[in-house]
């Protein structure tokens, strides 16, 4: 039974997120705290899974690590999201209005197409921002992320504050899109970040990849390739079992 529950957790939570925002009343969408509360609840739920079905006891969070992660979670939702709104989203929306740019057609798209559009805009921007961080002078903002050697659900929000600001940037403000489509994609993204870095033993799909981290940058490798190279796999597991550390 436990195996079935954890194998269905990922698709079930995605379905619940879709259902929540697809049927959300306007009164909820107008609450400034709604998406923040939903995203934090999702992160907390994934974090709690680590106590119910942890992958390795040796990777369990220490009290100090938990407080460190909590600091970054609060920093992100209380400060970085606000700064991004004031310095990026609001000026972009003002420029759109001043230039007379209209995208009213987006409000008439089917809901599933609106969601797909938001996902594309967010994922496309984050992909190229990530590549920029790995191949330009802004690598220093991203480097601390690659010195984290012990993962859990909150580690996706642990890093240089400037990096967290940069990867949160998007051009969604240029489009007239309903809040529920945007909120659905935001919560979906935070769910994915938590699941990707959590140390809960979930029945993952064949698309799962293991990423090795070192001071030079990421070394992505399919899990099958690691299985064929026992030494490399052992080095990866040894690194993940180590405490969280940051190298200057």
């Amino acid at each position: 039974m436990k195996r079935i529950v954890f194998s269905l957790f990922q698709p079930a939570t995605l379905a619940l997120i879709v259902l929540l925002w697809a049927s959300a009343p306007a009164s909820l969408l107008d609450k400034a705290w709604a998406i923040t509360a939903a995203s934090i609840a999702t992160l907390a739920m994934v974090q709690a899974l680590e106590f119910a079905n942890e992958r390795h006891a040796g990777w369990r969070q220490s009290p100090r690590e938990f407080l460190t992660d909590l600091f970054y979670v609060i920093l992100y939702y209380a400060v970085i999201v606000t700064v991004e709104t004031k310095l990026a989203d609001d000026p972009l929306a003002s420029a759109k209005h001043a230039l007379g740019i209209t995208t009213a057609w987006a409000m008439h798209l089917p809901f599933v197409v609106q969601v797909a559009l938001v996902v594309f805009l967010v994922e496309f921007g984050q992909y190229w921002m990530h590549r920029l961080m790995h191949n330009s002078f802004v690598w220093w903002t991203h480097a601390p992320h690659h010195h984290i050697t012990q993962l859990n659900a909150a580690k996706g929000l642990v890093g240089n504050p400037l990096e967290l600001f940069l990867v949160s940037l998007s051009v969604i403000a240029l489009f007239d899109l309903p809040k529920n489509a945007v909120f659905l994609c935001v919560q979906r993204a935070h769910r994915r970040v938590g699941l990707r870095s959590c140390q809960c033993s979930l029945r993952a799909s064949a698309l799962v990849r293991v990423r090795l981290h070192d001071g030079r940058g990421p070394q992505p490798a399919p899990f099958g390739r690691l299985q064929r190279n026992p030494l490399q796999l052992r080095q990866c597991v040894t690194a993940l079992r180590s405490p969280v550390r940051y190298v200057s």
Side-chain angles (χ1 to χ4, degrees):
M1 183 63 182
K2 183 177 181 180
R3 180 176 180 178
I4 295 175
V5 169
F6 282 96
S7 65
L8 295 177
F9 178 81
Q10 297 186 61
T13 52
L14 180 59
L16 286 174
I17 291 172
V18 172
L19 181 62
L20 169 65
W21 296 114
S23 59
S27 58
L28 177 62
L29 297 173
D30 290 335
K31 303 293 185 183
W33 50 262
I35 183 57
T36 299
S39 297
I40 292 176
T42 301
L43 182 62
M45 178 176 59
V46 176
Q47 183 75 66
L49 288 179
E50 297 184 1
F51 297 97
N53 195 31
E54 64 184 358
R55 183 173 287 118
H56 295 290
W59 298 358
R60 193 175 300 160
Q61 273 185 313
S62 66
R64 180 178 179 181
E65 183 185 358
F66 172 78
L67 291 175
T68 300
D69 294 346
L70 181 62
F71 166 80
Y72 279 100
V73 170
I74 294 173
L75 175 69
Y76 179 80
Y77 287 109
V79 179
I80 294 175
V81 170
T82 302
V83 171
E84 181 205 354
T85 301
K86 298 296 184 182
L87 297 185
D89 293 343
D90 288 350
L92 201 59
S94 298
K96 171 178 175 284
H97 179 73
L99 295 173
I101 300 174
T102 59
T103 57
W105 52 267
M107 291 295 291
H108 302 289
L109 295 172
F111 182 68
V112 65
V113 178
Q114 292 172 333
V115 171
L117 176 59
V118 178
V119 170
F120 171 77
L121 293 173
V122 172
E123 298 286 345
F124 185 80
Q126 288 186 344
Y127 170 79
W128 285 104
M129 180 61 72
H130 194 189
R131 290 201 61 168
L132 177 68
M133 288 178 174
H134 278 269
N135 297 281
S136 73
F137 67 95
V138 293
W139 161 251
W140 67 270
T141 68
H142 187 55
H145 168 76
H146 286 280
H147 292 295
I148 296 175
T149 56
Q150 182 167 314
L151 301 177
N152 59 59
K155 284 297 186 289
L157 298 178
V158 175
N160 187 305
L162 181 58
E163 177 208 8
L164 299 177
F165 171 79
L166 291 175
V167 298
S168 298
L169 295 175
S170 74
V171 295
I172 294 176
L174 291 176
F175 293 82
D176 297 304
L177 290 163
K179 288 183 179 179
N180 56 344
V182 176
F183 288 177
L184 189 160
C185 296
V186 170
Q187 189 176 2
R188 166 198 164 271
H190 289 183
R191 164 193 166 276
R192 185 195 59 177
V193 168
L195 289 173
R196 185 174 59 186
S197 59
C198 77
Q199 73 111 344
C200 178
S201 183
L202 298 172
R203 303 287 297 177
S205 69
L207 298 178
V208 169
R209 296 290 182 264
V210 175
R211 289 183 177 273
L212 302 181
H213 292 64
D214 63 24
R216 295 175 291 112
Q219 305 296 316
F223 188 68
R225 190 185 305 165
L226 289 176
Q227 287 179 313
R228 293 193 295 271
N229 188 339
L231 177 59
Q232 189 179 21
L233 177 59
R234 188 159 56 248
Q235 290 172 340
C236 176
V237 172
T238 300
L240 289 173
R241 283 176 174 169
S242 303
V244 176
R245 59 185 176 87
Y246 299 94
V247 179
S248 58

